[in-house]
Amino acid sequence: MTNATNTADTIDWKTLRDDFPVLSRQVHGKPLVYLDSANTAQKPRQVIDITDAFYREHNANISRSVHTLGMEATEAYEAARKKIAAFLNIRADELVLTSGTTQAINLVAYSFALPRLKPGDAILLTRMEHHANIVPWQLIAERTGATIRVAEITADGELDIAALRTQMTPEVKILGLTQVSNVLGTVNPVAEICREARRRGIATVIDGSQAVPHRPVDITAIGCDFYAFTGHKMLGPTGTGGLWARREHLEAMPPFFGGGEMIREVRFEKTVFNDPPHKFEAGTPNIAGVIGLGAAVDYLSAIGMANIEAREQALLAYATEKLAQIPGLRIFGAAKEKAAVISFLVDGAHAHDLATLLDLDGIAVRSGHHCAHPLMQHFGVAATCRASLAFYNTFDEIDRLVAGIAKARTLLG
Ligand code: PLP
């Protein structure tokens, strides 16, 4: 491990790789090149070990037992909540722990939007949203009579901000916006857009899934109403994540799920709910997972998010330059501010065929629609290949990708 006083230039990134056991495995007899971190990130042993230790040494349910194990589990769980909140510059009592972004956005949709929206209202979404920030809104629109409007993108894959401004009309009650596109890598100016939306009384729901793992994120500075993120893309276990919401919203919103943990008193005549965030956390959560997510936050903080961003930007610049030299390769997304996600297609090669051939070389890229059908429709393609980078990737691995694509082209051509 390193510490945040280091800079991206002085950190020994190659040694950090040793923290990730899976990165040393072979696939089809070749050293694994994992370029699918936007899908899910690999886990360092610090996260794996703490999760393992929880089950070996402390396992108990939280918030209900006075015995030692129960109190240890509760303490570790709530300590992780505090760590995650500090990492994102929010209050711990405004952080609802969820199974990830999908559950977080559904919570906003059903608990905040469903009781408020009515016929004539509109929900504004961008062309580059993941299905997790589209489908819940369609379900709510259907039930309330609200309509969905789409904010379009430019040829470079940036949001058309001027057009977006004109679309923020009085009917628009909610704006759903990703901070970083999982397909194009586009980084959206969320603080500026949230400021504008707030002036017009539009509630903003930011999908931070691809931002939190790759750059410093200060949710309070963004000034949104809701911010969703997912733990497994930020080195944490699957089935973890959270929703931050303004206190006034959390207090006004009815619970989404009912059950144990989220109540103060239950009578058949009437139930009194617990305070936020517990009001929204019915049932036994992923206790070991959240504790693991706390360790992931410690790990990321020790490196420093600004260092991670700088490292990934260097990898992105190198990969973009090398890939652009491959004849017939088209990159989707050329935003001025872009995260280390490169979607591409090669003339004459289907994305799945290319990904399958790369896998035979030990190289893992994702192929498909990336849960972004409307974006695929915009570009007129069914699928792309996507290489998504993390700080644990190396320049040599990018060379392997480039060589792998060149080899695949000759086989497919
Ligand atoms: N939003 C974006 C931008 C994503 O990339 C993803 C995951 O692929 C999600 C939402 C959904 O995250 P989860 O499946 O962890 O809820």
Side-chain angles (χ1 to χ4, degrees):
M1 281 292 279
T2 172
N3 80 55
T5 57
N6 284 332
T7 67
D9 292 335
T10 59
I11 292 169
D12 182 355
W13 296 101
K14 281 207 167 141
T15 302
L16 277 184
R17 276 176 73 84
D18 297 341
D19 288 334
F20 294 79
V22 79
L23 294 181
S24 61
R25 71 162 279 187
Q26 306 251 317
V27 170
H28 299 299
K30 313 266 172 56
L32 168 68
V33 174
Y34 187 75
L35 301 176
D36 197 19
S37 294
N39 207 354
T40 198
Q42 294 303 348
K43 320 301 175 203
R45 62 185 159 72
Q46 289 82 346
V47 170
I48 299 167
D49 290 352
I50 206 165
T51 312
D52 181 77
F54 174 77
Y55 286 120
R56 286 179 192 281
E57 296 163 33
H58 308 282
N59 182 47
N61 211 331
I62 55 166
S63 315
R64 41 179 90 162
S65 314
V66 295
H67 60 70
T68 300
L69 295 191
M71 289 198 293
E72 284 173 3
T74 305
E75 238 167 65
Y77 185 84
E78 290 304 327
R81 187 197 305 272
K82 284 193 187 125
K83 244 182 239 179
I84 300 161
F87 180 65
L88 297 169
N89 193 28
I90 51 178
R91 284 172 47 161
D93 62 2
E94 294 177 356
L95 172 59
V96 181
L97 293 168
T98 66
S99 64
T101 294
T102 303
Q103 192 193 337
I105 295 177
N106 274 277
L107 170 55
V108 183
Y110 283 90
S111 184
F112 177 78
L114 183 60
R116 278 179 177 71
L117 296 188
K118 52 182 191 327
D121 288 343
I123 302 163
L124 182 56
L125 305 174
T126 84
R127 170 67 61 182
M128 66 178 92
E129 296 312 306
H130 184 281
H131 295 164
N133 207 14
I134 299 175
V135 183
W137 300 115
Q138 290 176 322
L139 295 171
I140 295 304
E142 228 165 70
R143 288 173 64 163
T144 58
T147 53
I148 305 282
R149 294 186 188 169
V150 182
E152 292 295 349
I153 57 173
T154 65
D156 279 347
E158 293 181 328
L159 257 188
D160 185 340
I161 304 282
L164 175 68
R165 261 195 206 111
T166 65
Q167 286 179 293
M168 290 192 197
T169 53
E171 311 83 64
V172 176
K173 299 294 185 273
I174 289 170
L175 168 63
L177 170 65
T178 193
Q179 188 172 0
V180 174
S181 161
N182 65 315
V183 179
L184 306 170
T186 306
V187 180
N188 288 316
V190 285
E192 179 194 328
I193 296 169
C194 288
R195 231 183 351 262
E196 187 99 25
R198 199 159 175 75
R199 264 204 299 274
R200 301 176 194 214
I202 300 169
T204 43
V205 184
I206 305 298
D207 177 348
S209 308
Q210 300 291 349
V212 172
H214 303 291
R215 48 182 32 235
V217 169
D218 179 336
I219 295 178
T220 302
I222 291 171
C224 51
D225 286 274
F226 300 95
Y227 192 100
F229 62 97
T230 202
H232 67 98
K233 296 186 201 285
M234 48 188 287
L235 314 184
T238 52
T240 64
L243 173 74
W244 172 82
R246 289 179 184 274
R247 187 85 201 167
E248 75 242 33
H249 293 324
L250 290 178
E251 268 163 15
M253 284 157 59
F256 178 32
F257 290 113
E261 309 282 2
M262 49 77 72
I263 50 83
R264 187 160 297 134
E265 188 184 4
V266 176
R267 291 172 187 270
F268 278 113
E269 302 75 45
K270 184 177 167 55
T271 286
V272 180
F273 302 125
N274 205 337
D275 293 329
H278 308 288
K279 179 169 93 171
F280 301 102
E281 295 178 354
T284 302
N286 183 354
I287 303 167
V290 168
I291 293 167
L293 182 56
V297 161
D298 282 342
Y299 189 91
L300 292 169
S301 304
I303 301 174
M305 291 311 296
N307 293 331
I308 286 174
E309 186 183 13
R311 162 77 175 176
E312 293 179 0
Q313 285 297 310
L315 291 167
L316 173 67
Y318 184 77
T320 305
E321 192 200 322
K322 293 282 168 185
L323 289 171
Q325 289 166 15
I326 299 178
L329 187 142
R330 172 185 178 198
I331 293 178
F332 296 79
K336 279 184 279 308
E337 210 183 335
K338 182 173 168 168
V341 170
I342 306 175
S343 287
F344 61 93
L345 277 177
V346 175
D347 279 351
H350 192 283
H352 290 315
D353 293 341
L354 187 52
T356 304
L357 287 175
L358 289 171
D359 180 59
L360 292 174
D361 260 343
I363 303 164
V365 297
R366 182 168 172 195
S367 59
H369 53 67
H370 314 294
C371 300
H373 274 154
L375 197 53
M376 297 293 119
Q377 285 148 15
H378 174 83
F379 287 112
V381 297
T384 68
C385 276
R386 180 186 69 184
S388 54
L389 309 171
F391 63 85
Y392 45 66
N393 288 124
T394 66
F395 294 93
D396 292 346
E397 288 183 314
I398 292 165
D399 291 340
R400 289 251 329 260
L401 170 69
V402 172
I405 295 172
K407 184 170 146 199
R409 272 186 74 230
T410 57
L411 291 171
L412 292 167

